[in-house]
Amino acid sequence: MVFSIAQLWRDFRLGLRNQWFMSAMVLVSIATGATCCASLVSILRGLQVQEEAIINSLGANVFAVSNAAVAKQSLLDTATVSALRTHLPELETSALRFDVIDANSTGEPLHIVQTDSGLASIQGWRMQRGRFFDPHDLTFSTRVVVVGSAFAEMSGWHPGDYLYISDLAYRIVGVIDSRDLQDQPSELGNLAFKPRTVFMPLSLDNHWSADITRNPDRVDTLIVRSKSTRASSLMAARVQRFLLGGKMLNEQLHWVTPTTLTKGIKKLRRVIGITLGSLATMLLALAATTLTASLTSSVRARFSEIGLRRSLGATRHAIAALFVMESLLISISGAALGITMTLLIGKFMTSQLGFLVEVDRHVVFIPLLIYFSMGVLASYWPAKFAANLSPALCLRQ
Amino acid sequence: MTAAPTPALTFDRVSHRYSTDTTVLSNVSMQINSTDFIMVTGPSGSGKSTFLQLGALLEQPSEGEVYFQQKAVSSLDDKTLSQLRASRVGIIFQAYHLLPRYSVFENVLFGFRYSKTPMDEARQLSQEAMQLATIDHLQNKSAGLLSGGEMQRVAIARAIASRPDVLFADEPTGNLDRRTTDMIMATLATLHAAGLTIVMATHDDSLVPFANRHYQLTGHSLHRSDRACHGV
Ligand SMILES: Nc1ncnc2c1ncn2[C@@H]1O[C@H](COP(=O)(O)OP(=O)(O)OP(=O)(O)O)[C@@H](O)[C@H]1O
Ligand SMILES: [Mg+2]
């Protein structure tokens, strides 16, 4: 009789029928372990995706440094920024100054961000209409502004329209695609721009401010972009050294780098990885032990059948294969069950609870691979035991 | 017609023990030719089953050498031995060793599980074997539900279905009534006449005349008996 899948399946069923209850219990224990394993993968993947999104929100290879909230006065200023530019010309830098005007008529505050022409390109903003302000606007302190498309639409503004701030007219020269401004994670602090924000040249004096004691040259935040990811941390260190070489203390600066941004999420990943990871490992070990125990008892229950097979021409390998196959079929179906559970739970969690879990091929293949290997390992001793049994001894049962 | 018979199985100073103090066979030498129908008798526990298992390649002797179709068994690897078992050897076990949840037909067909016989042919041969063992009317019945005699006949059918060269029969009539015993023995005689080498163990002395040679197992050794056997 030639080799066939049907024949293998019949062999498997023959083994299963001997102890279907035991096999069902083992299946449940494997499915539980695989659910834990798959959930771990999907949660960790979810956090990884979230982490990538946060890093991307800052911009690729971008970091920012601000005056720390504890600093009594602004330590960054336009002079420092120009000095930095001369010192590290390979970096793209952009200085930002933030202000808020409590609008009396609408009741909603208006956020003002004064910056230079490089910000749009560092942040990778797409202009929906018009342009971002250019070096010319900065040099001549022209009263121009740029707004987000959502704000423009809400207010019925078009490029060329004028907008009044404290009775002075500002010409709207461009509209930024609001999708680039929206949904910024809170980790970005004041770099998560509010919808009601206008961007204008840094060189304009803040005539709207009543506080005349404030330094007109102050800079609140510096955004820096370097050419590559590796260079980014190196550059952050260089910028830090430059700034600290001057008059500042590190406590007076607040850094926003990919590392600081993802600190929280990284910690969460680590905690989940350790707790759920050790739980998954224990469940894996438990599943492996029960599977080995059930296979061993299956071998014992099938002495007569093993002897018969050997007498009919089964090699040692064929006998071993019998139990390896049985082990793999149980472990893979258990894993499949667990993965299906995880997919259902994951679907529920994302749709009902808004909890971000990532359900991708990793969630399927990682547990499958782990439990496949477990199946091979768990069957090693029972299969070896069965293969080395003396046929004559088996036939005496 | 006096063509030299080819040796099917040779025992050369074979001793076998299961542990240091349980010697079962001691210094057994004999030759079985392909034309032989050998009968081995002896009291219970004398080692008949052990003798058959050594011949049927299921066990290696502690000392000496067994030659199967002139090949020294100890020199064969697991794969070759398995192939010989699958294609050349048929065994009727004293304890049947049927698969109780399989039907009679499936049990007989299972005899081909490790042979290279194509499926269609295996089915055909299984049907023929069931007819010979007169169990074809039971073919769809679960083997676990059969009577002892019926199980015995399923075991016989499974052993002969693959048309082995040598058939080892361990008490093949142990559970059968006189009438069925005679029928089975007649079947074995027919198969023998058709060229099958048979080595049979029994404690039913009345069956001895079916064989052409008779051995008695006593005191760990095999003695050629002078009792009347029919010639070949
Ligand atoms: N695996 C084994 N380990 C230890 N002793 C064994 C083993 N197999 C057989 N024996 C012993 O070897 C002796 C011969 O056993 P065997 O089954 O060959 O006898 P037998 O002649 O076939 O007996 P019966 O007529 O009852 O079937 C017995 O005493 C038995 O207890
Ligand atoms: Mg016996």
Side-chain angles (χ1 to χ4, degrees), chain A residues 390 392-393 396, chain B residues 17-19 22-24 42-53 59 94 170-171 201-203 217:
Chain A
S390 143
L393 187 71
R396 287 208 174 259
Chain B
R17 61 186 74 88
Y18 286 105
S19 58
T22 56
T23 302
V24 181
S44 180
S46 57
K48 300 183 295 293
S49 296
T50 305
F51 175 76
L52 292 193
Q53 284 180 337
E59 182 100 84
Q94 195 171 2
D170 199 350
E171 311 272 6
T202 183
H203 36 229
L217 244 179

Side-chain angles (χ1 to χ4, degrees), chain A residues 280-301:
Chain A
T281 312
M282 286 193 294
L283 288 178
L284 178 69
L286 199 67
T289 343
T290 51
L291 182 55
T292 307
S294 116
L295 286 170
T296 309
S297 96
S298 168
V299 172
R300 291 192 182 284

Side-chain angles (χ1 to χ4, degrees), chain B residues 4 26 42 63 65 82 89 122 124 131 135 149 173 176 195 206 217:
Chain B
S26 161
E63 272 168 46
E65 184 65 84
S82 300
V89 175
Q124 181 62 39
Q131 270 157 25
I135 44 162
T173 58
L176 303 180
S206 70
L217 244 179

Side-chain angles (χ1 to χ4, degrees), chain B residues 139-150:
Chain B
Q139 60 172 292
N140 294 321
K141 198 161 176 179
S142 202
L145 304 175
L146 300 176
S147 75
E150 287 167 338

